[in-house]
Amino acid sequence: MEKKKSNDWLIDLAQVEERPFASQSPLIGRLIVWLRHVWLNAAARAYLRPLRQQQNQFNRQVLTQLTRHDEWLVHQDQALSQNRRALGRLRQTLSQKKPTLPDGE
Amino acid sequence: MERPLFSLIVLNWNAASFLPACLNALEALTYPQTEIIVVDNKSSDESVSLVQTTFPQVKLVQNAQNRGFAAGNNNGIRQAKGEIIVLVNPDVELAPGALQPLAEAFAADNSVGIVGGKLHYPDGTLQFGGGDIVPPQAFSSHRTANSDTSESVGYIIGAFMAVRRLVIETIGLMDEGFFLYYEDADYCARARKAGFDIQYVPAASGIHHESSTTDRNTDFYWQHMFYGRVRYLVKHTAENELLTTAMPAERTWLAQLLPGCQRRRMAARAYQTISRQLPEILEARTRDGSEPLSETAIVRLQAELAGLQLLAWQPTLDQLDELAQKGFVQERPFQSRLPLVVWLRNLWISIATKWYMRPQLEQQNQFNQQLVARLREQAERLMIQEQALQETTEDIVRLRQEVKRMKNEG
């Protein structure tokens, strides 16, 4: 069985990004969005950006590490199958060679 | 004097874009006695129809599957009638006078078994001027000095290699255990062991768009390159040298490769395949003219290969320390040339965000550290399993030897 090909689907999720703020309010919606933007700029953005960058970097490395573990597991799966096959062949050869034991033993 | 027939074999796999230039060059050769055989290794591009429609005079051999360079060319050699067999890559364009110097080299000395010419990249820089396999690890090296002198060399590149039929009759066809890379070096080593000389003749020349059909940065490239090299090592290195020089050098080389990099991972895969195929490779070793390894040496070699696989994977654990560091997300101090601005900014951030965010940051950091701890557990388990697997593999090798001995004793 081919192991689920990589963690590609996690790549986007690992990247934490700002989501644009939107308002449904018909008349003052734009104003609310603008005020919110200004407020975030003043209050949080500069503080949060470096934190987000660090977390994103960590997330990417976790994914790399996960991918390596996956590859390692695939490698071990293959090695295990090879060993099983080899043992099967050996068992077959040995069963053909097994000396016949006298009755009762 | 009668001129020998040259069979020119072009092994093709998805190289339709290069084939016309290659075949046109072969048809433009000034040497009069040639037959051209294209062996297609189950291409998925339009190579086959191109040969059938544009070069109907060329003999086309269609392989049912792609079994690699050696197996593909062997199929062509079986069809060849020539006294001299020339392997030509589809991304090679030979110069019109390329065959005459080869014919002269073969005619001048009966001990010459394999001859190769000079290859340039399309931009005119030298690509191949004779080659050597360098101990202790059997890395291939292309000569660049004295490339205008005919001389005996270590090996000839398979992209343009002429072989006397007597060589094939003496040592057999190419070793099909090689999929791609090192089959040429292997063939030259076998021919040399059988007493033939390997000659580089610069007057025979061509252009080589090297690796146009294989990308060098792929897992495929590195895996087959490493596999070929280690297969060559096991086949052609004397027992003592293999265990006391080549394998330790391999370990040192592997350890200095960047942890987790593509080459390191592909090396692990190649060692695994070599380990699995060891009985067949050891048979090929004896068949192809090397002294057989002693039983003790085989067990030691298997252990060395197991150790190399372990070494190839080990850095995965070391990298987790670095990851744990990165998992501590920290506040970065605000910087400005004006201390007052820094003070005001910090005050403002403190009031507006910091005390709200800090507990969340701590939670995230806790989670990050837990994640790294789980990854470490996984890696340690993988490492233990790897060790157990290697021990089982070694046991199987010992058992095989035991069964073989029992069989021999009847």
Side-chain angles (χ1 to χ4, degrees):
Chain A
M1 186 190 76
E2 195 191 354
K3 208 164 164 60
K4 186 169 166 51
K5 188 91 178 156
S6 79
N7 300 305
D8 287 354
W9 63 281
L10 280 172
I11 291 173
D12 289 341
L13 290 177
Q15 184 73 17
V16 181
E17 280 166 346
E18 286 181 25
R19 298 272 182 255
F21 179 73
S23 170
Q24 309 264 318
S25 185
L27 293 173
I28 53 165
R30 280 188 173 185
L31 181 66
I32 292 172
V33 169
W34 182 79
L35 284 171
R36 180 90 183 197
H37 185 77
V38 170
W39 169 247
L40 277 177
N41 259 352
R45 193 164 275 141
Y47 172 76
L48 285 176
R49 190 172 288 151
L51 301 178
R52 196 176 61 233
Q53 281 167 348
Q54 290 173 67
Q55 183 64 45
N56 282 342
Q57 205 184 13
F58 172 79
N59 290 353
R60 277 196 299 275
Q61 290 206 356
V62 166
L63 276 185
T64 309
Q65 194 72 20
L66 270 175
T67 307
R68 263 180 218 142
H69 286 190
D70 282 352
E71 285 181 354
W72 200 353
L73 260 178
V74 171
H75 161 90
Q76 292 191 346
D77 282 350
Q78 288 170 349
L80 195 64
S81 310
Q82 285 158 20
N83 283 355
R84 279 202 187 116
R85 280 197 297 273
L87 276 174
R89 282 195 294 270
L90 280 168
R91 204 172 284 135
Q92 204 179 5
T93 315
L94 283 172
S95 68
Q96 286 161 0
K97 289 229 138 228
K98 201 186 245 174
T100 320
L101 295 175
D103 286 344
E105 289 189 39
Chain B
M1 194 182 76
E2 198 182 320
R3 293 173 190 242
L5 174 68
F6 274 60
S7 295
L8 307 163
I9 299 174
V10 180
L11 178 71
N12 176 72
W13 181 72
N14 288 342
S17 57
F18 291 97
L19 262 181
C22 170
L23 295 177
N24 283 328
L26 295 187
E27 292 193 332
L29 288 166
T30 53
Y31 188 84
Q33 300 279 357
T34 60
E35 64 166 348
I36 304 172
I37 301 170
V38 170
V39 182
D40 186 74
N41 250 354
K42 191 74 180 164
S43 292
S44 54
D45 66 4
E46 65 276 23
S47 296
V48 168
S49 60
L50 185 134
V51 174
Q52 284 167 334
T53 54
T54 318
F55 300 93
Q57 67 284 17
V58 165
K59 185 170 186 174
L60 177 66
V61 178
Q62 289 179 255
N63 288 340
Q65 53 174 316
N66 181 4
R67 291 201 295 118
F69 184 88
N73 272 310
N74 283 349
N75 265 358
I77 295 171
R78 287 189 193 98
Q79 308 280 329
K81 297 192 186 86
E83 184 55 31
I84 308 293
I85 314 293
V86 189
L87 308 184
V88 185
N89 270 15
D91 58 353
V92 166
E93 292 165 45
L94 292 184
L99 295 192
Q100 192 57 40
L102 299 180
E104 285 164 10
F106 281 118
D109 184 351
N110 280 338
S111 73
V112 171
I114 297 175
V115 184
K118 186 195 254 187
L119 291 171
H120 290 103
Y121 288 109
D123 67 3
T125 55
L126 183 67
Q127 191 255 323
F128 185 77
D132 294 292
I133 296 299
V134 185
Q137 285 177 271
F139 281 111
S140 64
S141 157
H142 291 188
R143 292 185 188 185
T144 47
N146 300 325
S147 67
D148 290 325
T149 315
S150 290
E151 58 186 349
S152 288
V153 290
Y155 86 103
I156 291 299
I157 193 171
F160 176 33
M161 174 197 259
V163 184
R164 196 193 287 274
R165 182 166 285 279
L166 183 62
V167 173
I168 298 163
E169 287 165 359
T170 310
I171 66 170
L173 294 164
M174 298 181 97
D175 179 356
E176 297 185 5
F178 292 91
F179 187 85
L180 192 60
Y181 308 118
Y182 275 86
E183 58 289 283
D184 43 11
D186 172 76
Y187 204 66
C188 290
R190 288 165 57 196
R192 191 177 302 100
K193 279 178 192 158
F196 293 101
D197 188 25
I198 318 299
Q199 279 273 324
Y200 164 69
V201 178
S205 65
I207 296 168
H208 187 195
H209 306 256
E210 198 197 11
S211 282
S212 49
T213 50
T214 48
D215 185 346
R216 284 186 172 227
N217 287 321
T218 58
D219 287 358
F220 177 90
Y221 173 82
W222 288 115
Q223 195 187 341
H224 287 286
M225 183 58 93
F226 291 149
Y227 172 85
R229 185 175 61 77
V230 183
R231 184 180 174 95
Y232 179 96
L233 255 184
V234 175
K235 278 187 75 178
H236 296 289
T237 315
E239 178 173 313
N240 189 45
E241 199 186 328
L242 181 65
L243 294 169
T244 60
T245 320
M247 286 296 133
E250 196 71 13
R251 246 181 286 139
T252 312
W253 167 81
L254 184 66
Q256 54 83 38
L257 288 181
L258 213 58
C261 74
Q262 186 182 40
R263 288 198 295 161
R264 197 161 182 147
R265 289 183 288 111
M266 291 309 111
R269 240 185 243 181
Y271 298 136
Q272 186 190 27
T273 316
I274 291 284
S275 201
R276 184 182 79 229
Q277 297 179 347
L278 199 57
E280 179 269 319
I281 298 171
L282 292 174
E283 270 182 39
R285 175 186 163 96
T286 318
R287 179 194 70 213
D288 291 340
S290 299
E291 285 288 313
L293 293 185
S294 67
E295 290 193 4
T296 328
I298 294 171
V299 174
R300 272 187 65 194
L301 177 61
Q302 190 71 59
E304 286 285 351
L305 289 167
L308 284 168
Q309 285 177 66
L310 208 58
L311 182 61
W313 289 109
Q314 209 151 21
T316 308
L317 276 175
D318 305 337
Q319 284 172 311
L320 286 166
D321 295 335
E322 191 195 329
L323 189 61
Q325 290 292 320
K326 291 234 164 84
F328 282 114
V329 176
Q330 289 166 331
E331 290 167 2
R332 296 275 184 251
F334 181 73
Q335 286 175 335
S336 168
R337 270 176 291 180
L338 304 170
L340 182 65
V341 174
V342 174
W343 184 82
L344 282 172
R345 181 84 186 196
N346 283 341
L347 181 68
W348 170 242
I349 289 287
S350 183
I351 296 164
T353 317
K354 194 179 273 180
W355 298 109
Y356 170 71
M357 277 306 295
R358 200 167 263 176
Q360 294 176 48
L361 189 61
E362 276 163 13
Q363 288 173 60
Q364 181 66 55
N365 281 341
Q366 252 178 12
F367 175 77
N368 289 353
Q369 293 311 312
Q370 285 298 322
L371 195 59
V372 177
R374 287 304 305 272
L375 282 170
R376 190 185 299 280
E377 259 173 47
Q378 260 190 14
E380 280 167 357
R381 231 180 273 166
L382 281 162
M383 186 62 83
I384 290 166
Q385 274 178 203
E386 186 71 27
Q387 276 159 346
L389 256 172
Q390 304 309 340
E391 282 166 16
T392 320
T393 311
E394 285 168 41
D395 285 345
I396 290 172
V397 174
R398 282 194 204 96
L399 271 172
R400 265 198 203 126
Q401 286 175 327
E402 197 58 41
V403 169
K404 202 171 164 186
R405 197 177 302 131
M406 281 165 65
K407 268 186 182 167
N408 291 339
E409 286 168 1

